[in-house]
Amino acid sequence: MNKEMTERPRAIARRSLSKLTALMTALALTNASLPVHAQQAKGPPVLRDTETEQLLRDYTRPILRVAGLEKQNIQMVIINDSSFNAFVADGRRIFVNYGAIMQSTTPNQLIGVLAHETGHLAGGHLSKFREQLARTQTQLIIAMLLGAGALAAGAARGGSNGASNIGAAAISAPQEIARRSLLSYQRQQEENADRAGVKFLTATHQSAKGMYETFKRFTDESLFSAHGADPYVQSHPMPADRVAALAELAKTSPYWDKKDDPALQMRHDMVRAKISAFMERQDTVYRRYPMSDTSLPARYAHAIATYLHGDLRSALAQIDALIKVEPQNPYFYEVRGQALLEGGHPAEAIAPLRRAIQLSHNAPLIEMLLGQALVASNNKAYTEEAISILRAALAREPEAPLGYMQLAMAYGRKGDYAQADLASAQAAYLRGDNKTARELASRAKTRFAIGTPGWVKADDIVSAKIPDKKN
Ligand SMILES: [Zn+2]
């Protein structure tokens, strides 16, 4: 278990979660009063995983291209929530609950929903309120959606950007109203987004059947349950006639009967197996993937569940068997490295993680895991390498507190306490712990020569107008 993890917020302090966070690095939210959805969820509000993010990017890229949005560099954010939801809060990010991935049995079902959401984006259905979010930190948006009003309220006071208005709205409006104004659309906009979604799917030679299947399921669901319906249904009204109109339109597409590419279906199944293994109860995992199931996704789920809940030796044997089947799959090496790292064998984790990085073309989140293994191996010979790998990874993934925490440890080992304090301050800042961030940054300032780049960065944190979590 990684020592750094024990200092993380209460919500992710449990042992099994420390393992999860090494893979799915947290953008931790430290607010204690999280409402229903967040309380149900375990762990940090945002899940980070290279394999899942890559799949979602591959799903959205062609859609965004035909929608004329490819240049916007839209980021995929996976929310730690088992209910079905996918939404665009602004023009910068598409949010997807992991529940939406789990509940979509085919890529086409999820792609259909993403196409519909892109329809909202391309149609300019985002209110002014939402557009202001583009300048807001991801974790602040999620805090607001989850109803953690304190963060948003604080931003209203300190806000030097668009966050201020959002914060103000979040305080004055009851949570549910704030959430609705963020997520809900008018009936006409829904129909337009359906039409745009079908158009994007047809232009990319994909079927709109999955979109129809998902929406049809929600229509049936909302007929039978007034309460407890997925948040997606609450924010996207789905009267039967709308879904009927969608079916009629979708069936005119020459691609209506087109099936997902088997390779893409396999990637989808692998990601669902991984999410199940990491996020669901052990008995649920084995109910979804019984031992008698010898498919690759089932074996992936078994290997991860064994490393999380069983013994390392058996897990490694299972992972090695997976590597034999797909020797070029970076994520099998990643999970091997992670299992070793979390199992207390950081030095042995280094080789598989190097291979994972090579095969994934330098995925920054895996580089951070390697940085962690290098630091944890307690071998001074690795210190410089850890620093350069972590810095390179953070340059591409600047919102990852775990990377900064590892960087702080590496600098500490080197005896560079100015850089160590600065990196710790950056980690605290990203976690939303601004009091600690300011204290560490103030101390870092005293260690740097005035006006040097490190001093300037530390000064930025000290003077940032950001809210404290406890006010
Ligand atoms: Zn919609």
Side-chain angles (χ1 to χ4, degrees):
M1 178 165 156
N2 189 309
K3 264 191 297 179
E4 290 305 295
M5 292 296 125
T6 61
E7 295 163 16
R8 316 274 319 246
R10 186 171 53 89
I12 56 166
R14 283 164 34 197
R15 186 169 178 274
S16 62
L17 292 166
S18 74
K19 295 187 169 186
L20 168 73
T21 48
L23 173 77
M24 297 182 163
T25 313
L27 260 179
L29 228 195
T30 51
N31 200 300
S33 58
L34 295 175
V36 186
H37 282 302
Q39 280 170 0
Q40 286 168 347
K42 45 182 188 172
V46 173
L47 302 179
R48 300 300 311 270
D49 176 57
T50 306
E51 184 176 16
T52 310
E53 291 174 9
Q54 189 60 47
L55 183 67
L56 293 177
R57 276 197 296 270
D58 289 347
Y59 286 171
T60 47
R61 193 182 305 111
I63 302 283
L64 293 172
R65 192 181 302 134
V66 297
L69 297 166
E70 64 180 324
K71 295 248 162 65
Q72 288 195 23
N73 195 19
I74 291 171
Q75 190 192 343
M76 300 299 303
V77 180
I78 306 157
I79 299 186
N80 180 1
D81 192 315
S82 62
S83 65
F84 193 108
N85 209 358
F87 56 91
V88 281
D90 58 51
R92 244 188 73 196
R93 287 161 284 220
I94 297 177
F95 293 84
V96 179
N97 282 8
Y98 83 75
I101 305 173
M102 288 305 295
Q103 291 176 43
S104 300
T105 53
T106 65
N108 188 246
Q109 287 176 358
L110 189 54
I111 292 168
V113 172
L114 295 168
H116 171 94
E117 291 306 310
T118 305
H120 283 306
L121 201 55
H125 301 165
L126 307 189
S127 61
K128 206 164 182 230
F129 182 65
R130 283 161 164 246
E131 281 164 13
Q132 291 167 332
L133 288 176
R135 283 164 290 173
T136 307
Q137 274 181 293
T138 303
Q139 60 173 328
L140 188 62
I141 296 175
I142 295 171
M144 203 161 29
L145 295 174
L146 297 176
L151 266 175
R157 281 191 302 280
S160 53
N161 56 27
S164 56
N165 296 326
I166 296 156
I171 320 170
S172 58
Q175 230 165 59
E176 186 52 33
I177 294 173
R179 192 157 38 220
R180 273 190 198 169
S181 61
L182 251 171
L183 296 183
S184 299
Y185 296 96
Q186 303 300 316
R187 167 77 193 260
Q188 189 55 48
Q189 293 179 333
E190 288 303 336
E191 290 171 2
N192 291 346
D194 285 343
R195 275 197 290 276
V198 172
K199 194 178 84 188
F200 300 150
L201 290 165
T202 305
T204 51
H205 301 191
Q206 300 182 86
S207 172
K209 194 186 258 177
M211 188 204 285
Y212 165 71
E213 284 167 353
T214 301
F215 290 176
K216 177 74 169 56
R217 178 163 73 81
F218 285 138
T219 316
D220 298 342
E221 224 176 66
S222 54
L223 276 180
F224 298 110
S225 71
H227 299 288
D230 277 305
Y232 196 78
V233 188
Q234 294 168 19
S235 55
H236 294 68
M238 303 233 193
D241 58 338
R242 176 190 150 201
V243 178
L246 169 63
E248 204 172 314
L249 178 66
K251 282 175 186 167
T252 63
S253 159
Y255 307 105
W256 170 255
D257 281 316
K258 190 172 172 185
K259 295 271 175 292
D260 287 299
D261 175 57
L264 196 64
Q265 179 71 53
M266 177 53 89
R267 285 177 65 196
H268 189 80
D269 294 342
M270 292 297 275
V271 160
R272 290 175 76 224
K274 179 189 234 175
I275 292 173
S276 171
F278 272 108
M279 304 306 297
E280 297 189 307
R281 289 163 47 114
Q282 205 182 346
D283 54 343
T284 309
V285 177
Y286 283 97
R287 199 164 55 243
R288 280 188 200 276
Y289 304 98
M291 286 309 286
S292 56
D293 185 347
T294 56
S295 68
L296 203 62
R299 290 167 63 192
Y300 198 22
H302 297 160
I304 295 168
T306 305
Y307 121 63
L308 288 174
H309 309 286
D311 76 296
L312 180 61
R313 194 168 295 275
S314 166
L316 291 176
Q318 292 179 46
I319 295 165
D320 287 342
L322 291 171
I323 290 175
K324 254 196 171 143
V325 180
E326 284 187 4
Q328 304 298 315
N329 187 327
Y331 310 114
F332 292 161
Y333 294 94
E334 182 190 21
V335 81
R336 189 177 209 286
Q338 186 182 358
L340 283 161
L341 178 61
E342 299 290 343
H345 304 274
E348 291 168 60
I350 293 171
L353 290 174
R354 285 195 201 285
R355 186 83 181 115
I357 289 165
Q358 189 187 27
L359 290 169
S360 67
H361 308 290
N362 303 309
L365 295 176
I366 307 178
E367 289 183 333
M368 287 179 201
L369 208 53
L370 173 61
Q372 188 179 348
L374 292 169
V375 170
S377 69
N378 239 333
N379 180 344
K380 277 212 162 197
Y382 287 138
T383 303
E384 286 299 335
E385 187 190 354
I387 290 171
S388 76
I389 284 174
L390 288 165
R391 291 193 74 99
L394 284 163
R396 282 170 290 142
E397 274 289 339
E399 283 195 28
L402 186 79
Y404 281 107
M405 288 191 297
Q406 296 306 320
L407 187 61
M409 288 180 72
Y411 275 124
R413 195 146 294 170
K414 196 184 163 187
D416 187 340
Y417 300 113
Q419 291 287 359
D421 277 348
L422 175 60
S424 299
Q426 285 164 315
Y429 179 77
L430 288 169
R431 285 199 308 264
D433 182 355
N434 297 308
K435 185 170 173 290
T436 306
R438 266 197 294 266
E439 284 166 7
L440 288 165
S442 299
R443 198 168 74 186
K445 272 178 76 178
T446 67
R447 299 188 194 270
F448 284 111
I450 293 173
T452 56
W455 185 92
V456 171
K457 277 186 200 160
D459 189 57
D460 282 347
I461 294 175
V462 172
S463 53
K465 287 184 178 138
I466 43 178
D468 282 323
K469 56 174 176 160
K470 287 174 190 135
N471 61 10

